[in-house]
Amino acid sequence: MHGTTALLIEVGALLFALGMLGRIGRRFGLSPIPLYLLAGLAFGQGGLRPLPASEEFIEVGAEIGVILLLVMLGLEYSASELVGNLRSAAPAGVIDALLNALPGAGFAFLLGWGWEAALVLAGITWVSSSGVIAKVLGDLGRLGNRETPVILSILVIEDLAMAFYLPVVTAVLAGVGLLGGVKALSVAVLTVVAVLVVAIRYGHAISRFISVKDPEALLLSVLGLTLFVAGVAAELQVSAAVGAFLVGIALSGPVAHHATQILSPLRDLFAAVFFVFFGLSTDPAAMPPVLLPALALAVLTMLTKVFTGVLAARRGGIALPGQIRAGLALMPRGEFSIVIAGLAVASGVEPELAPLATAYVLITVVTGPMLARLTDYAWFKGMVRKRMAVRRPVGPVPAAD
């Protein structure tokens, strides 16, 4: 009973504090994400006061938070839109991988690490945080913007690539050899293809089966289906986030509309818990020795992400302001980067890799949401308009009388 009482006290105090931090952030026009992360750092390992009674609860809540963020993203788009966006964004996905994975691998070799650590760091710098970006887009009211499908297409390509990358890197770090890596990759490919086929071919049937007349039944059905598919995907060594996103894609029509309204409060609650957990799992004392290398890597790869977003949005025919918004939105790294670093730590590859990855992710995830707001400021809009005026072609000069 004492343990339950302590859990209620810790969780209640934490949620109340998060509510106050979110209110302060919005009062000053800031995204609450960095404040949630700093709160986690303050009460995590080496912080002001640990939260032992609620640690397991927060960990599970964080996983649910990522899943809800991704299913809500999926509810914004239909299966046909997903396939169309993936086809058009495939070249941007290749550019994204080259521009953001290679700097991580090169940085590992520069530090004198082996090829296994280079493979791990390449994944850490490659993939953006779908959870953080989804939260930022929602906070800034940009889910309906023209550049948002481009951003989501790149995120989906990265998440699908992680479904194949994670089994391979797990096999490499475990030393199971080529056969084990091929087996893990085959399972991942079959799982993703199966879920995609079900989402695209039978999505309407699934939507018809789920009733929208009873809000309680709708909430339980959609949430249960999402958690189940995400769990099965994770069990098969495929990203739970990918499974959740595809559930959102599979639902359409009135079901998707009503599910978005019902799930929004739950998403906000568990998303805040996810960002707190990220800070709780970080020991601030381990980061100062690797802070400068992490900062240099973060600056380099945030610039490459901006370049990736600008190129992808330009290919989609989006104007310069939308191109810049797309690039700035893609900068944060998060859940996948921490998962990849955790695999390396468990296998004993390079002890400095974990604090470097943690510092790197914190830098991008704190500064990314702040920089994403740049395009909302009047001085930045004026600068972009001047840039567009310079680039605008000048028409023919009329002939003199």
Side-chain angles (χ1 to χ4, degrees), residues 275-298:
F275 297 118
V276 170
F277 174 72
F278 189 78
L280 287 174
S281 59
T282 303
D283 185 0
M287 292 191 294
V290 296
L291 193 56
L292 285 179
L295 181 61
L297 184 61

Side-chain angles (χ1 to χ4, degrees), residues 28 34 41 70 79 93 117 120 229 252 310 345:
F28 291 96
L41 279 174
L70 269 294
V120 170
V229 173
S252 59
V310 168
V345 172

Side-chain angles (χ1 to χ4, degrees), residues 319-322 324 375 378-391:
L320 183 60
I324 297 175
T375 55
W379 62 268
F380 194 89
K381 291 180 180 179
M383 189 171 62
V384 172
R385 279 196 295 266
K386 289 180 181 179
R387 175 68 175 169
M388 293 176 67
V390 170
R391 293 173 55 182

